[in-house]
PDB file of all heavy atoms in Angstrom:
ATOM      1  N   SER A   1      25.552  34.098 -60.206  1.00 97.00           N
ATOM      2  CA  SER A   1      26.876  34.083 -59.464  1.00 97.00           C
ATOM      3  C   SER A   1      27.978  33.772 -60.384  1.00 97.00           C
ATOM      4  O   SER A   1      29.124  33.672 -59.915  1.00 97.00           O
ATOM      5  CB  SER A   1      26.728  32.892 -58.433  1.00 97.00           C
ATOM      6  OG  SER A   1      26.643  31.632 -59.080  1.00 97.00           O
ATOM      7  N   LEU A   2      27.761  33.535 -61.740  1.00 96.00           N
ATOM      8  CA  LEU A   2      28.724  33.079 -62.747  1.00 96.00           C
ATOM      9  C   LEU A   2      29.153  31.616 -62.647  1.00 96.00           C
ATOM     10  O   LEU A   2      29.928  31.206 -63.460  1.00 96.00           O
ATOM     11  CB  LEU A   2      29.869  34.064 -62.740  1.00 96.00           C
ATOM     12  CG  LEU A   2      29.727  35.544 -62.754  1.00 96.00           C
ATOM     13  CD1 LEU A   2      31.095  36.177 -62.857  1.00 96.00           C
ATOM     14  CD2 LEU A   2      28.975  35.868 -64.087  1.00 96.00           C
ATOM     15  N   ALA A   3      28.534  30.917 -61.753  1.00 96.00           N
ATOM     16  CA  ALA A   3      28.780  29.559 -61.558  1.00 96.00           C
ATOM     17  C   ALA A   3      28.531  28.708 -62.889  1.00 96.00           C
ATOM     18  O   ALA A   3      29.308  27.930 -63.370  1.00 96.00           O
ATOM     19  CB  ALA A   3      28.108  28.883 -60.413  1.00 96.00           C
ATOM     20  N   ALA A   4      27.466  29.023 -63.476  1.00 94.00           N
ATOM     21  CA  ALA A   4      26.978  28.422 -64.697  1.00 94.00           C
ATOM     22  C   ALA A   4      28.002  28.563 -65.912  1.00 94.00           C
ATOM     23  O   ALA A   4      28.129  27.661 -66.669  1.00 94.00           O
ATOM     24  CB  ALA A   4      25.637  28.822 -65.134  1.00 94.00           C
ATOM     25  N   PHE A   5      28.689  29.803 -65.890  1.00 90.00           N
ATOM     26  CA  PHE A   5      29.548  30.109 -67.038  1.00 90.00           C
ATOM     27  C   PHE A   5      30.899  29.495 -66.808  1.00 90.00           C
ATOM     28  O   PHE A   5      31.709  29.485 -67.703  1.00 90.00           O
ATOM     29  CB  PHE A   5      29.676  31.575 -67.189  1.00 90.00           C
ATOM     30  CG  PHE A   5      28.341  32.337 -67.472  1.00 90.00           C
ATOM     31  CD1 PHE A   5      27.663  32.901 -66.464  1.00 90.00           C
ATOM     32  CD2 PHE A   5      27.825  32.319 -68.718  1.00 90.00           C
ATOM     33  CE1 PHE A   5      26.419  33.521 -66.731  1.00 90.00           C
ATOM     34  CE2 PHE A   5      26.652  32.892 -69.079  1.00 90.00           C
ATOM     35  CZ  PHE A   5      25.895  33.588 -68.008  1.00 90.00           C
ATOM     36  N   CYS A   6      31.094  28.897 -65.512  1.00 92.00           N
ATOM     37  CA  CYS A   6      32.413  28.414 -65.223  1.00 92.00           C
ATOM     38  C   CYS A   6      32.355  26.887 -65.017  1.00 92.00           C
ATOM     39  O   CYS A   6      33.344  26.305 -64.486  1.00 92.00           O
ATOM     40  CB  CYS A   6      32.985  29.146 -64.053  1.00 92.00           C
ATOM     41  SG  CYS A   6      33.272  30.968 -64.274  1.00 92.00           S
ATOM     42  N   GLY A   7      31.283  26.392 -65.414  1.00 91.00           N
ATOM     43  CA  GLY A   7      31.023  24.906 -65.151  1.00 91.00           C
ATOM     44  C   GLY A   7      31.116  24.445 -63.745  1.00 91.00           C
ATOM     45  O   GLY A   7      31.456  23.191 -63.538  1.00 91.00           O
ATOM     46  N   VAL A   8      30.715  25.237 -62.827  1.00 93.00           N
ATOM     47  CA  VAL A   8      30.627  24.925 -61.437  1.00 93.00           C
ATOM     48  C   VAL A   8      29.181  24.753 -61.022  1.00 93.00           C
ATOM     49  O   VAL A   8      28.249  25.533 -61.296  1.00 93.00           O
ATOM     50  CB  VAL A   8      31.259  26.065 -60.596  1.00 93.00           C
ATOM     51  CG1 VAL A   8      31.179  25.790 -59.135  1.00 93.00           C
ATOM     52  CG2 VAL A   8      32.730  26.336 -61.020  1.00 93.00           C
ATOM     53  N   SER A   9      29.011  23.661 -60.373  1.00 93.00           N
ATOM     54  CA  SER A   9      27.679  23.275 -59.739  1.00 93.00           C
ATOM     55  C   SER A   9      27.429  24.077 -58.352  1.00 93.00           C
ATOM     56  O   SER A   9      28.384  24.327 -57.562  1.00 93.00           O
ATOM     57  CB  SER A   9      27.646  21.785 -59.301  1.00 93.00           C
ATOM     58  OG  SER A   9      26.367  21.495 -58.790  1.00 93.00           O
ATOM     59  N   GLN A  10      26.218  24.778 -58.422  1.00 96.00           N
ATOM     60  CA  GLN A  10      25.913  25.553 -57.289  1.00 96.00           C
ATOM     61  C   GLN A  10      24.795  24.950 -56.481  1.00 96.00           C
ATOM     62  O   GLN A  10      23.681  24.768 -56.996  1.00 96.00           O
ATOM     63  CB  GLN A  10      25.506  27.036 -57.722  1.00 96.00           C
ATOM     64  CG  GLN A  10      25.097  27.916 -56.631  1.00 96.00           C
ATOM     65  CD  GLN A  10      24.930  29.402 -57.010  1.00 96.00           C
ATOM     66  OE1 GLN A  10      25.778  29.782 -57.771  1.00 96.00           O
ATOM     67  NE2 GLN A  10      23.984  30.026 -56.614  1.00 96.00           N
ATOM     68  N   LYS A  11      24.883  24.920 -55.129  1.00 96.00           N
ATOM     69  CA  LYS A  11      23.757  24.509 -54.294  1.00 96.00           C
ATOM     70  C   LYS A  11      23.161  25.859 -53.718  1.00 96.00           C
ATOM     71  O   LYS A  11      23.924  26.555 -53.047  1.00 96.00           O
ATOM     72  CB  LYS A  11      24.371  23.740 -53.162  1.00 96.00           C
ATOM     73  CG  LYS A  11      23.272  23.077 -52.264  1.00 96.00           C
ATOM     74  CD  LYS A  11      23.801  22.154 -51.206  1.00 96.00           C
ATOM     75  CE  LYS A  11      22.736  21.496 -50.378  1.00 96.00           C
ATOM     76  NZ  LYS A  11      23.295  20.542 -49.370  1.00 96.00           N
ATOM     77  N   ASN A  12      21.941  26.092 -54.171  1.00 96.00           N
ATOM     78  CA  ASN A  12      21.258  27.359 -53.786  1.00 96.00           C
ATOM     79  C   ASN A  12      21.014  27.542 -52.315  1.00 96.00           C
ATOM     80  O   ASN A  12      20.881  26.562 -51.552  1.00 96.00           O
ATOM     81  CB  ASN A  12      19.982  27.351 -54.622  1.00 96.00           C
ATOM     82  CG  ASN A  12      20.251  27.557 -56.096  1.00 96.00           C
ATOM     83  OD1 ASN A  12      21.204  27.873 -56.615  1.00 96.00           O
ATOM     84  ND2 ASN A  12      19.149  27.348 -56.804  1.00 96.00           N
ATOM     85  N   SER A  13      21.049  28.764 -51.884  1.00 97.00           N
ATOM     86  CA  SER A  13      20.797  29.125 -50.516  1.00 97.00           C
ATOM     87  C   SER A  13      19.993  30.500 -50.407  1.00 97.00           C
ATOM     88  O   SER A  13      19.635  30.903 -51.669  1.00 97.00           O
ATOM     89  CB  SER A  13      22.117  29.254 -49.795  1.00 97.00           C
ATOM     90  OG  SER A  13      22.926  30.204 -50.364  1.00 97.00           O
ATOM     91  N   ALA A  14      19.717  31.033 -49.369  1.00 97.00           N
ATOM     92  CA  ALA A  14      18.932  32.183 -49.222  1.00 97.00           C
ATOM     93  C   ALA A  14      19.619  33.015 -48.134  1.00 97.00           C
ATOM     94  O   ALA A  14      20.274  32.614 -47.162  1.00 97.00           O
ATOM     95  CB  ALA A  14      17.519  31.854 -48.956  1.00 97.00           C
ATOM     96  N   ALA A  15      19.257  34.335 -48.254  1.00 98.00           N
ATOM     97  CA  ALA A  15      19.861  35.347 -47.214  1.00 98.00           C
ATOM     98  C   ALA A  15      18.911  35.290 -46.053  1.00 98.00           C
ATOM     99  O   ALA A  15      17.678  35.025 -46.185  1.00 98.00           O
ATOM    100  CB  ALA A  15      19.904  36.656 -47.939  1.00 98.00           C
ATOM    101  N   ASP A  16      19.531  35.393 -44.899  1.00 98.00           N
ATOM    102  CA  ASP A  16      18.651  35.717 -43.665  1.00 98.00           C
ATOM    103  C   ASP A  16      18.723  37.185 -43.365  1.00 98.00           C
ATOM    104  O   ASP A  16      17.718  37.614 -42.844  1.00 98.00           O
ATOM    105  CB  ASP A  16      19.498  34.945 -42.519  1.00 98.00           C
ATOM    106  CG  ASP A  16      19.304  33.429 -42.744  1.00 98.00           C
ATOM    107  OD1 ASP A  16      18.260  32.860 -42.703  1.00 98.00           O
ATOM    108  OD2 ASP A  16      20.503  32.852 -43.037  1.00 98.00           O
ATOM    109  N   ILE A  17      19.712  37.912 -43.733  1.00 98.00           N
ATOM    110  CA  ILE A  17      19.847  39.297 -43.457  1.00 98.00           C
ATOM    111  C   ILE A  17      20.251  40.001 -44.735  1.00 98.00           C
ATOM    112  O   ILE A  17      21.321  39.662 -45.273  1.00 98.00           O
ATOM    113  CB  ILE A  17      20.865  39.771 -42.302  1.00 98.00           C
ATOM    114  CG1 ILE A  17      20.265  39.011 -40.977  1.00 98.00           C
ATOM    115  CG2 ILE A  17      20.881  41.120 -42.129  1.00 98.00           C
ATOM    116  CD1 ILE A  17      21.340  39.099 -39.864  1.00 98.00           C
ATOM    117  N   VAL A  18      19.604  41.036 -45.278  1.00 98.00           N
ATOM    118  CA  VAL A  18      20.055  41.709 -46.310  1.00 98.00           C
ATOM    119  C   VAL A  18      20.386  43.072 -45.869  1.00 98.00           C
ATOM    120  O   VAL A  18      19.583  43.876 -45.206  1.00 98.00           O
ATOM    121  CB  VAL A  18      18.805  41.829 -47.355  1.00 98.00           C
ATOM    122  CG1 VAL A  18      19.159  42.782 -48.581  1.00 98.00           C
ATOM    123  CG2 VAL A  18      18.437  40.507 -47.861  1.00 98.00           C
ATOM    124  N   VAL A  19      21.698  43.543 -46.337  1.00 98.00           N
ATOM    125  CA  VAL A  19      22.169  44.689 -45.736  1.00 98.00           C
ATOM    126  C   VAL A  19      22.325  45.817 -46.896  1.00 98.00           C
ATOM    127  O   VAL A  19      22.465  45.557 -48.057  1.00 98.00           O
ATOM    128  CB  VAL A  19      23.602  44.503 -45.213  1.00 98.00           C
ATOM    129  CG1 VAL A  19      23.347  43.669 -43.792  1.00 98.00           C
ATOM    130  CG2 VAL A  19      24.564  43.694 -46.080  1.00 98.00           C
ATOM    131  N   SER A  20      22.467  47.061 -46.400  1.00 98.00           N
ATOM    132  CA  SER A  20      22.684  48.205 -47.202  1.00 98.00           C
ATOM    133  C   SER A  20      23.944  49.055 -46.577  1.00 98.00           C
ATOM    134  O   SER A  20      24.346  48.727 -45.417  1.00 98.00           O
ATOM    135  CB  SER A  20      21.465  49.077 -47.284  1.00 98.00           C
ATOM    136  OG  SER A  20      20.405  48.228 -47.931  1.00 98.00           O
ATOM    137  N   ASP A  21      24.297  50.121 -47.224  1.00 98.00           N
ATOM    138  CA  ASP A  21      25.436  50.930 -46.789  1.00 98.00           C
ATOM    139  C   ASP A  21      25.077  51.406 -45.479  1.00 98.00           C
ATOM    140  O   ASP A  21      23.959  51.861 -45.065  1.00 98.00           O
ATOM    141  CB  ASP A  21      25.485  52.165 -47.790  1.00 98.00           C
ATOM    142  CG  ASP A  21      26.821  52.934 -47.542  1.00 98.00           C
ATOM    143  OD1 ASP A  21      27.896  52.310 -47.304  1.00 98.00           O
ATOM    144  OD2 ASP A  21      26.742  54.100 -47.582  1.00 98.00           O
ATOM    145  N   LYS A  22      25.995  51.376 -44.543  1.00 98.00           N
ATOM    146  CA  LYS A  22      26.021  51.988 -43.144  1.00 98.00           C
ATOM    147  C   LYS A  22      25.298  51.055 -42.210  1.00 98.00           C
ATOM    148  O   LYS A  22      25.193  51.539 -41.006  1.00 98.00           O
ATOM    149  CB  LYS A  22      25.560  53.502 -43.178  1.00 98.00           C
ATOM    150  CG  LYS A  22      26.322  54.388 -43.918  1.00 98.00           C
ATOM    151  CD  LYS A  22      25.840  55.870 -43.890  1.00 98.00           C
ATOM    152  CE  LYS A  22      26.706  56.767 -44.543  1.00 98.00           C
ATOM    153  NZ  LYS A  22      26.164  58.116 -44.625  1.00 98.00           N
ATOM    154  N   ASP A  23      24.755  49.925 -42.658  1.00 98.00           N
ATOM    155  CA  ASP A  23      24.180  49.115 -41.643  1.00 98.00           C
ATOM    156  C   ASP A  23      25.205  48.599 -40.660  1.00 98.00           C
ATOM    157  O   ASP A  23      26.410  48.487 -40.945  1.00 98.00           O
ATOM    158  CB  ASP A  23      23.510  47.929 -42.357  1.00 98.00           C
ATOM    159  CG  ASP A  23      22.225  48.260 -43.037  1.00 98.00           C
ATOM    160  OD1 ASP A  23      21.730  49.250 -42.702  1.00 98.00           O
ATOM    161  OD2 ASP A  23      21.681  47.250 -43.777  1.00 98.00           O
ATOM    162  N   ILE A  24      24.812  48.062 -39.530  1.00 98.00           N
ATOM    163  CA  ILE A  24      25.697  47.632 -38.473  1.00 98.00           C
ATOM    164  C   ILE A  24      25.201  46.162 -38.033  1.00 98.00           C
ATOM    165  O   ILE A  24      24.044  45.843 -37.992  1.00 98.00           O
ATOM    166  CB  ILE A  24      25.626  48.426 -37.279  1.00 98.00           C
ATOM    167  CG1 ILE A  24      25.997  49.851 -37.476  1.00 98.00           C
ATOM    168  CG2 ILE A  24      26.410  47.812 -36.051  1.00 98.00           C
ATOM    169  CD1 ILE A  24      27.380  50.004 -37.819  1.00 98.00           C
ATOM    170  N   ILE A  25      26.222  45.212 -38.155  1.00 98.00           N
ATOM    171  CA  ILE A  25      25.955  43.893 -37.779  1.00 98.00           C
ATOM    172  C   ILE A  25      26.696  43.718 -36.364  1.00 98.00           C
ATOM    173  O   ILE A  25      27.903  44.212 -36.215  1.00 98.00           O
ATOM    174  CB  ILE A  25      26.609  42.884 -38.732  1.00 98.00           C
ATOM    175  CG1 ILE A  25      26.032  42.980 -40.103  1.00 98.00           C
ATOM    176  CG2 ILE A  25      26.368  41.413 -38.114  1.00 98.00           C
ATOM    177  CD1 ILE A  25      24.541  42.612 -40.228  1.00 98.00           C
ATOM    178  N   THR A  26      25.995  43.343 -35.348  1.00 98.00           N
ATOM    179  CA  THR A  26      26.526  43.156 -34.031  1.00 98.00           C
ATOM    180  C   THR A  26      26.897  41.607 -33.739  1.00 98.00           C
ATOM    181  O   THR A  26      26.041  40.794 -33.877  1.00 98.00           O
ATOM    182  CB  THR A  26      25.472  43.550 -32.978  1.00 98.00           C
ATOM    183  OG1 THR A  26      25.110  45.034 -33.139  1.00 98.00           O
ATOM    184  CG2 THR A  26      26.066  43.468 -31.548  1.00 98.00           C
ATOM    185  N   LEU A  27      28.138  41.474 -33.394  1.00 98.00           N
ATOM    186  CA  LEU A  27      28.708  40.158 -33.181  1.00 98.00           C
ATOM    187  C   LEU A  27      29.251  40.242 -31.662  1.00 98.00           C
ATOM    188  O   LEU A  27      30.256  40.773 -31.435  1.00 98.00           O
ATOM    189  CB  LEU A  27      29.834  39.916 -34.076  1.00 98.00           C
ATOM    190  CG  LEU A  27      30.636  38.589 -33.940  1.00 98.00           C
ATOM    191  CD1 LEU A  27      29.693  37.416 -34.302  1.00 98.00           C
ATOM    192  CD2 LEU A  27      31.855  38.494 -34.800  1.00 98.00           C
ATOM    193  N   GLY A  28      28.394  39.800 -30.809  1.00 96.00           N
ATOM    194  CA  GLY A  28      28.773  39.781 -29.477  1.00 96.00           C
ATOM    195  C   GLY A  28      28.957  41.288 -29.038  1.00 96.00           C
ATOM    196  O   GLY A  28      27.919  41.960 -29.234  1.00 96.00           O
ATOM    197  N   GLU A  29      30.129  41.744 -28.647  1.00 96.00           N
ATOM    198  CA  GLU A  29      30.285  43.201 -28.188  1.00 96.00           C
ATOM    199  C   GLU A  29      30.990  43.945 -29.481  1.00 96.00           C
ATOM    200  O   GLU A  29      31.325  44.973 -29.229  1.00 96.00           O
ATOM    201  CB  GLU A  29      31.086  43.191 -26.932  1.00 96.00           C
ATOM    202  CG  GLU A  29      30.513  42.508 -25.759  1.00 96.00           C
ATOM    203  CD  GLU A  29      31.473  42.575 -24.558  1.00 96.00           C
ATOM    204  OE1 GLU A  29      32.445  43.335 -24.553  1.00 96.00           O
ATOM    205  OE2 GLU A  29      31.079  41.725 -23.592  1.00 96.00           O
ATOM    206  N   THR A  30      31.132  43.262 -30.518  1.00 97.00           N
ATOM    207  CA  THR A  30      31.739  43.944 -31.676  1.00 97.00           C
ATOM    208  C   THR A  30      30.750  44.344 -32.669  1.00 97.00           C
ATOM    209  O   THR A  30      29.757  43.731 -33.042  1.00 97.00           O
ATOM    210  CB  THR A  30      32.726  42.934 -32.398  1.00 97.00           C
ATOM    211  OG1 THR A  30      33.663  42.496 -31.366  1.00 97.00           O
ATOM    212  CG2 THR A  30      33.390  43.448 -33.529  1.00 97.00           C
ATOM    213  N   GLU A  31      30.951  45.613 -33.180  1.00 98.00           N
ATOM    214  CA  GLU A  31      30.056  46.128 -34.267  1.00 98.00           C
ATOM    215  C   GLU A  31      30.860  46.011 -35.562  1.00 98.00           C
ATOM    216  O   GLU A  31      32.099  46.412 -35.685  1.00 98.00           O
ATOM    217  CB  GLU A  31      29.784  47.558 -33.952  1.00 98.00           C
ATOM    218  CG  GLU A  31      28.694  47.746 -32.839  1.00 98.00           C
ATOM    219  CD  GLU A  31      28.141  49.140 -32.768  1.00 98.00           C
ATOM    220  OE1 GLU A  31      28.712  50.034 -33.432  1.00 98.00           O
ATOM    221  OE2 GLU A  31      27.199  49.338 -32.134  1.00 98.00           O
ATOM    222  N   ILE A  32      30.238  45.497 -36.614  1.00 98.00           N
ATOM    223  CA  ILE A  32      30.706  45.349 -37.915  1.00 98.00           C
ATOM    224  C   ILE A  32      29.960  46.375 -38.830  1.00 98.00           C
ATOM    225  O   ILE A  32      28.724  46.153 -38.946  1.00 98.00           O
ATOM    226  CB  ILE A  32      30.687  43.969 -38.351  1.00 98.00           C
ATOM    227  CG1 ILE A  32      31.364  43.104 -37.479  1.00 98.00           C
ATOM    228  CG2 ILE A  32      31.274  43.923 -39.812  1.00 98.00           C
ATOM    229  CD1 ILE A  32      31.041  41.624 -37.682  1.00 98.00           C
ATOM    230  N   LYS A  33      30.606  47.367 -39.453  1.00 98.00           N
ATOM    231  CA  LYS A  33      29.814  48.291 -40.293  1.00 98.00           C
ATOM    232  C   LYS A  33      29.899  47.912 -41.754  1.00 98.00           C
ATOM    233  O   LYS A  33      30.881  47.455 -42.227  1.00 98.00           O
ATOM    234  CB  LYS A  33      30.531  49.739 -40.133  1.00 98.00           C
ATOM    235  CG  LYS A  33      29.859  50.788 -40.871  1.00 98.00           C
ATOM    236  CD  LYS A  33      30.535  52.087 -40.626  1.00 98.00           C
ATOM    237  CE  LYS A  33      29.881  53.258 -41.613  1.00 98.00           C
ATOM    238  NZ  LYS A  33      30.595  54.584 -41.504  1.00 98.00           N
ATOM    239  N   VAL A  34      28.764  48.064 -42.391  1.00 98.00           N
ATOM    240  CA  VAL A  34      28.741  47.645 -43.910  1.00 98.00           C
ATOM    241  C   VAL A  34      29.010  48.958 -44.655  1.00 98.00           C
ATOM    242  O   VAL A  34      28.416  49.992 -44.409  1.00 98.00           O
ATOM    243  CB  VAL A  34      27.298  47.111 -44.147  1.00 98.00           C
ATOM    244  CG1 VAL A  34      27.263  46.870 -45.689  1.00 98.00           C
ATOM    245  CG2 VAL A  34      27.053  45.967 -43.368  1.00 98.00           C
ATOM    246  N   MET A  35      29.938  48.734 -45.695  1.00 98.00           N
ATOM    247  CA  MET A  35      30.089  49.899 -46.585  1.00 98.00           C
ATOM    248  C   MET A  35      29.805  49.370 -47.928  1.00 98.00           C
ATOM    249  O   MET A  35      30.485  48.499 -48.418  1.00 98.00           O
ATOM    250  CB  MET A  35      31.604  50.352 -46.499  1.00 98.00           C
ATOM    251  CG  MET A  35      31.856  51.460 -47.507  1.00 98.00           C
ATOM    252  SD  MET A  35      33.673  51.948 -47.556  1.00 98.00           S
ATOM    253  CE  MET A  35      33.702  53.107 -46.367  1.00 98.00           C
ATOM    254  N   SER A  36      28.886  49.986 -48.676  1.00 98.00           N
ATOM    255  CA  SER A  36      28.641  49.659 -50.004  1.00 98.00           C
ATOM    256  C   SER A  36      29.685  50.110 -50.992  1.00 98.00           C
ATOM    257  O   SER A  36      30.015  51.311 -50.886  1.00 98.00           O
ATOM    258  CB  SER A  36      27.366  50.307 -50.417  1.00 98.00           C
ATOM    259  OG  SER A  36      26.952  49.988 -51.773  1.00 98.00           O
ATOM    260  N   THR A  37      30.283  49.153 -51.789  1.00 98.00           N
ATOM    261  CA  THR A  37      31.365  49.480 -52.678  1.00 98.00           C
ATOM    262  C   THR A  37      31.112  48.809 -54.023  1.00 98.00           C
ATOM    263  O   THR A  37      31.809  47.894 -54.455  1.00 98.00           O
ATOM    264  CB  THR A  37      32.689  48.997 -52.039  1.00 98.00           C
ATOM    265  OG1 THR A  37      32.582  47.626 -51.738  1.00 98.00           O
ATOM    266  CG2 THR A  37      33.049  49.875 -50.803  1.00 98.00           C
ATOM    267  N   PRO A  38      30.090  49.254 -54.814  1.00 98.00           N
ATOM    268  CA  PRO A  38      29.875  48.659 -56.142  1.00 98.00           C
ATOM    269  C   PRO A  38      30.932  48.855 -57.098  1.00 98.00           C
ATOM    270  O   PRO A  38      31.722  49.798 -56.968  1.00 98.00           O
ATOM    271  CB  PRO A  38      28.459  49.294 -56.613  1.00 98.00           C
ATOM    272  CG  PRO A  38      28.502  50.693 -55.858  1.00 98.00           C
ATOM    273  CD  PRO A  38      29.197  50.292 -54.496  1.00 98.00           C
ATOM    274  N   GLY A  39      31.014  48.028 -58.046  1.00 98.00           N
ATOM    275  CA  GLY A  39      32.013  48.177 -59.128  1.00 98.00           C
ATOM    276  C   GLY A  39      32.379  46.863 -59.671  1.00 98.00           C
ATOM    277  O   GLY A  39      32.342  46.444 -60.798  1.00 98.00           O
ATOM    278  N   HIS A  40      32.776  45.908 -58.719  1.00 98.00           N
ATOM    279  CA  HIS A  40      33.034  44.490 -59.095  1.00 98.00           C
ATOM    280  C   HIS A  40      31.709  43.818 -59.326  1.00 98.00           C
ATOM    281  O   HIS A  40      31.559  42.991 -60.274  1.00 98.00           O
ATOM    282  CB  HIS A  40      33.836  43.754 -57.976  1.00 98.00           C
ATOM    283  CG  HIS A  40      34.145  42.378 -58.327  1.00 98.00           C
ATOM    284  ND1 HIS A  40      34.997  42.075 -59.376  1.00 98.00           N
ATOM    285  CD2 HIS A  40      33.843  41.252 -57.730  1.00 98.00           C
ATOM    286  CE1 HIS A  40      35.211  40.701 -59.266  1.00 98.00           C
ATOM    287  NE2 HIS A  40      34.500  40.185 -58.461  1.00 98.00           N
ATOM    288  N   THR A  41      30.702  43.982 -58.415  1.00 98.00           N
ATOM    289  CA  THR A  41      29.271  43.600 -58.629  1.00 98.00           C
ATOM    290  C   THR A  41      28.539  44.797 -58.235  1.00 98.00           C
ATOM    291  O   THR A  41      29.007  45.744 -57.516  1.00 98.00           O
ATOM    292  CB  THR A  41      28.956  42.349 -57.822  1.00 98.00           C
ATOM    293  OG1 THR A  41      28.908  42.626 -56.488  1.00 98.00           O
ATOM    294  CG2 THR A  41      29.820  41.208 -58.165  1.00 98.00           C
ATOM    295  N   LYS A  42      27.206  44.796 -58.550  1.00 98.00           N
ATOM    296  CA  LYS A  42      26.375  45.936 -58.078  1.00 98.00           C
ATOM    297  C   LYS A  42      26.267  45.924 -56.572  1.00 98.00           C
ATOM    298  O   LYS A  42      25.982  47.027 -55.945  1.00 98.00           O
ATOM    299  CB  LYS A  42      24.816  45.752 -58.695  1.00 98.00           C
ATOM    300  CG  LYS A  42      24.954  46.041 -60.073  1.00 98.00           C
ATOM    301  CD  LYS A  42      25.219  47.527 -60.424  1.00 98.00           C
ATOM    302  CE  LYS A  42      25.034  47.861 -61.888  1.00 98.00           C
ATOM    303  NZ  LYS A  42      25.592  49.216 -62.192  1.00 98.00           N
ATOM    304  N   GLY A  43      26.335  44.783 -56.006  1.00 98.00           N
ATOM    305  CA  GLY A  43      26.232  44.750 -54.523  1.00 98.00           C
ATOM    306  C   GLY A  43      27.414  44.495 -53.632  1.00 98.00           C
ATOM    307  O   GLY A  43      27.234  44.062 -52.510  1.00 98.00           O
ATOM    308  N   SER A  44      28.366  44.667 -54.248  1.00 98.00           N
ATOM    309  CA  SER A  44      29.689  44.365 -53.375  1.00 98.00           C
ATOM    310  C   SER A  44      29.784  45.248 -52.158  1.00 98.00           C
ATOM    311  O   SER A  44      29.254  46.536 -52.345  1.00 98.00           O
ATOM    312  CB  SER A  44      30.889  44.734 -54.252  1.00 98.00           C
ATOM    313  OG  SER A  44      31.193  43.830 -55.269  1.00 98.00           O
TER     314      SER A  44
END
């Protein structure tokens, strides 16, 4: 996460949902589409 290189303490966590390009997250009646856009990081 680069925290170690910036002198920042990180409290670790874990993913509940791992997404890929074109996945859909449903929030109530709203659909949120995932678009994979690597470049800044591999998984942006």
Side-chain angles (χ1 to χ4, degrees):
S1 72
L2 304 184
F5 299 100
C6 298
V8 176
S9 176
Q10 176 170 320
K11 187 172 181 179
N12 291 341
S13 58
D16 297 292
I17 300 172
V18 176
V19 291
S20 301
D21 191 46
K22 298 180 181 178
D23 282 353
I24 300 292
I25 301 293
T26 301
L27 180 70
E29 299 177 15
T30 298
E31 289 192 343
I32 304 168
K33 182 180 178 181
V34 179
M35 174 183 277
S36 177
T37 54
H40 183 62
T41 66
K42 288 295 180 188
S44 288

